[in-house]
Amino acid sequence: MNGVRPPGLRIFAAFAAIYVVWGSTYLAIRYAVESIPPFFMMGARSLAAGLILYAWSRFRGDERIQPGHWGALLILGTLFFLIGHGSLAWAQKWIPSGLAAVLVASQPLWIVTIESFFLRDSRVRWRGISGLVLGFGGVVYLISSTEGIDTAGGNVAASMAIIAGAISWSSGTVYARVAKLPKSPVLTAGMELIIGGVLLFIAGAMLGETNQLEVNNLLPRSLFGLGYLIIFGSVITFSAYLWLLGQTSATRISTHAYVNPILAVLLGWLVAGERLTVELLIAIIVVIVSVVLVLNDRLHATKV
């Protein structure tokens, strides 16, 4: 025995991380933004996790960043973190974590659409098209009923921000498959997180978050949520996510959308006392059915 984990076990562990851990991060974000401005919070999460991963890559003796890598790293840091995570954190000031997770669950639909337009090896057939239409309808229904979920203002704008972030993350996922990146997923994840963290801090400063951050008023659960997001949400799970992109298709990886919203809704209900509404439950069913149709269509197509 040489101590090396079988590839199948590593893949299983990586999928378990993106299924379970990312499903719990929505609740952690909710608590973190209670006393930390959203862009600064995500900036701290990304930068701290990125520095940890970069130090780890140097300790392992991974390759150094080449000049040709910087463009792709900047694009992915922007798509994944500045837009994807920044919009999500801002939106969760307004809407429950379960609703946020259901909206993000539309991500596979955007991935399939983007892949179909830009990657020649991607095809969408009748089942996939039906799933796309159904999923889009579910998202529209959920956004249109958002005001009934929470009476606070800004809900529809927050929902649209999450959709924009999901599209941005999906674009990054597809682009990462063809981008010129370092061979080490640890180094790649670290640099993307560092770049994204710096951009998030800049955005937060431009939005006036410097004046909103009050160190003396930071809540313990906000700090705990931030720590959880750094270690589990980014260092462990984002590394697993990028590693999986080199092992299987973006469509297969996006199956975490099956589990994430269900877990997020249950945690929000059990831990944070968020409301379970008929609209939210209907949206979960519609979005998951649409994702199943799309992914079954794509997985079948890969066997043809």
Side-chain angles (χ1 to χ4, degrees):
M1 296 293 291
N2 56 11
V4 178
R5 292 182 179 179
L9 182 58
R10 294 180 64 190
I11 290 176
F12 175 82
F15 269 106
I18 66 173
Y19 282 178
V20 179
V21 176
W22 269 350
S24 64
T25 54
Y26 295 94
L27 185 60
I29 292 172
R30 171 194 166 124
Y31 287 139
V33 297
E34 284 184 352
S35 61
I36 308 174
F39 282 88
F40 275 9
M41 186 279 292
M42 279 298 189
R45 169 190 178 178
S46 298
L47 189 58
L51 291 172
I52 291 172
L53 288 173
Y54 180 77
W56 182 19
S57 73
R58 300 310 313 143
F59 176 78
R60 298 189 336 163
D62 290 343
E63 62 178 311
R64 294 186 178 275
I65 299 294
Q66 302 300 316
H69 295 151
W70 284 106
L73 291 171
L74 178 61
I75 292 172
L76 290 172
T78 300
L79 292 174
F80 282 143
F81 303 112
L82 175 61
I83 303 175
H85 275 182
S87 61
L88 177 62
W90 175 83
Q92 285 200 239
K93 294 281 290 183
W94 301 95
I95 63 177
S97 58
L99 170 58
V102 176
L103 291 171
V104 173
S106 65
Q107 188 183 106
L109 310 178
W110 305 119
I111 288 176
V112 169
T113 302
I114 295 167
E115 281 184 332
S116 299
F117 275 104
F118 295 102
L119 299 182
R120 294 181 180 180
D121 62 348
S122 299
R123 296 179 296 168
V124 181
R125 301 186 300 179
W126 70 267
R127 187 181 301 174
I129 293 173
S130 300
L132 290 172
V133 173
L134 181 63
F136 181 76
V139 170
V140 171
Y141 168 77
L142 184 58
I143 293 176
S144 67
S145 63
T146 299
E147 292 296 337
I149 295 173
D150 190 337
T151 56
N155 287 343
V156 172
S159 298
M160 296 302 295
I162 291 179
I163 292 297
I167 294 173
S168 179
W169 186 281
S170 302
S171 301
T173 298
V174 176
Y175 176 63
R177 291 183 58 196
V178 298
K180 184 178 180 181
L181 295 168
K183 295 179 181 179
S184 167
V186 175
L187 177 60
T188 299
M191 291 308 303
E192 288 173 3
L193 282 160
I194 290 172
I195 291 170
V198 171
L199 293 176
L200 283 161
F201 273 119
I202 293 173
M206 294 176 64
L207 293 172
E209 288 190 354
T210 304
N211 298 326
Q212 300 171 20
L213 181 62
E214 299 180 7
V215 177
N216 294 332
N217 293 328
L218 292 177
L219 299 174
R221 63 183 182 184
S222 291
L223 296 175
F224 177 81
L226 176 58
Y228 181 86
L229 291 168
I230 291 172
I231 301 300
F232 293 96
S234 292
V235 172
I236 295 175
T237 310
F238 187 63
S239 297
Y241 182 78
L242 286 185
W243 180 78
L244 281 173
L245 285 176
Q247 307 299 315
T248 186
S249 70
T251 302
R252 285 190 178 93
I253 296 168
S254 67
T255 55
H256 66 82
Y258 289 137
V259 180
N260 289 170
I262 297 174
L263 183 60
V265 168
L266 289 176
L267 286 175
W269 174 55
L270 292 172
V271 179
E274 294 179 354
R275 294 172 56 198
L276 280 178
T277 67
V278 174
E279 293 88 352
L280 188 57
L281 294 175
I282 290 174
I284 289 176
I285 294 171
V286 170
V287 170
I288 289 178
V289 169
S290 68
V291 170
V292 169
L293 287 172
V294 169
L295 293 181
N296 284 345
D297 176 79
R298 300 302 300 283
L299 293 175
H300 177 75
T302 60
K303 300 176 183 177
V304 176

